[in-house]
Amino acid sequence: MTTDTALSRAMRGVVDPPLLPLPDRVARLLSGLECPPRLAAHLRAVHDVAHQLADWAGRHRPALSFDRDAVLFGAATHDIGKTVHVRELSGPGAAHEEAGRALLLSLGVGAGLARFAATHASWTEPGVGPEDLLVSLADKIWKNKRVPDLEDLVVARLAEATGRPAWEEFIALDDVLSRIGDGADERLAFQASFPVHG
């Protein structure tokens, strides 16, 4: 399998489990950066989960005001800095966060969309909006990692928007996260089926 074929398949190919393809704009960015196929697979899995979260919020919590397109773009590009810091694909590190934001800005992406590359691990910072929280949540729940302080912030935003008690919003969010989390093993296997290096 050539790198181009692996990258194309990771971004847009028919896969099991079924995952939404990455948006065309993101696929073009990743192709131009010679993105590692495993990174593209990860971004696709997180984008798919963000889509599920956005769909759920739009249908069941319409009072929560958020920019759906920003969430989907943010999820699809949140780790783009790992094209620069490839070692962080298989090991720890946060250098990719600011590098990703700077990279997206250099490619003509506006600051409002580029920010997710830097904020996806910083959900407690001042000025974090519901879009940032949803991208951060997607980046955790794709592999069924539950992060109580992040989920508490999402529950608080939901309760504020809907006027419902926080415990009701927690139950509703827990239900959707559990359902999405059930597919984590398949998403992890999908990601692992692609090479870190082309």
Side-chain angles (χ1 to χ4, degrees), residues 56-135:
W56 174 82
R59 281 194 312 271
H60 301 287
R61 297 299 183 265
L64 180 68
S65 178
F66 68 95
D67 183 336
R68 176 188 176 85
D69 291 338
V71 169
L72 299 179
F73 185 87
T77 59
H78 73 282
D79 273 346
I80 201 165
K82 291 184 180 181
T83 60
V84 176
H85 296 281
V86 179
R87 69 187 179 285
E88 293 183 13
L89 273 172
S90 54
H96 71 277
E97 294 166 11
E98 184 52 38
R101 186 187 73 78
L103 179 60
L104 287 170
L105 290 172
S106 76
L107 294 170
V109 175
L113 293 177
R115 76 178 194 265
F116 297 103
T119 65
H120 66 274
S122 308
W123 53 83
T124 59
E125 296 297 315
V128 167
E131 297 85 1
D132 304 274
L133 293 175
L134 289 170
V135 169

Side-chain angles (χ1 to χ4, degrees), residues 18-87:
L19 296 172
L20 293 171
L22 284 171
D24 290 340
R25 180 182 183 191
V26 173
R28 285 192 302 272
L29 286 172
L30 297 179
S31 293
L33 294 169
E34 297 181 8
C35 179
R38 184 167 299 172
L39 174 56
H42 170 68
L43 294 173
R44 184 175 178 183
V46 175
H47 170 263
D48 186 82
V49 167
H51 203 282
Q52 292 179 59
L53 290 171
D55 281 355
W56 174 82
R59 281 194 312 271
H60 301 287
R61 297 299 183 265
L64 180 68
S65 178
F66 68 95
D67 183 336
R68 176 188 176 85
D69 291 338
V71 169
L72 299 179
F73 185 87
T77 59
H78 73 282
D79 273 346
I80 201 165
K82 291 184 180 181
T83 60
V84 176
H85 296 281
V86 179
R87 69 187 179 285

Side-chain angles (χ1 to χ4, degrees), residues 171-184:
I171 291 170
L173 183 65
D174 182 64
D175 182 58
V176 72
L177 295 183
S178 295
R179 180 182 52 77
I180 294 171
D182 286 344

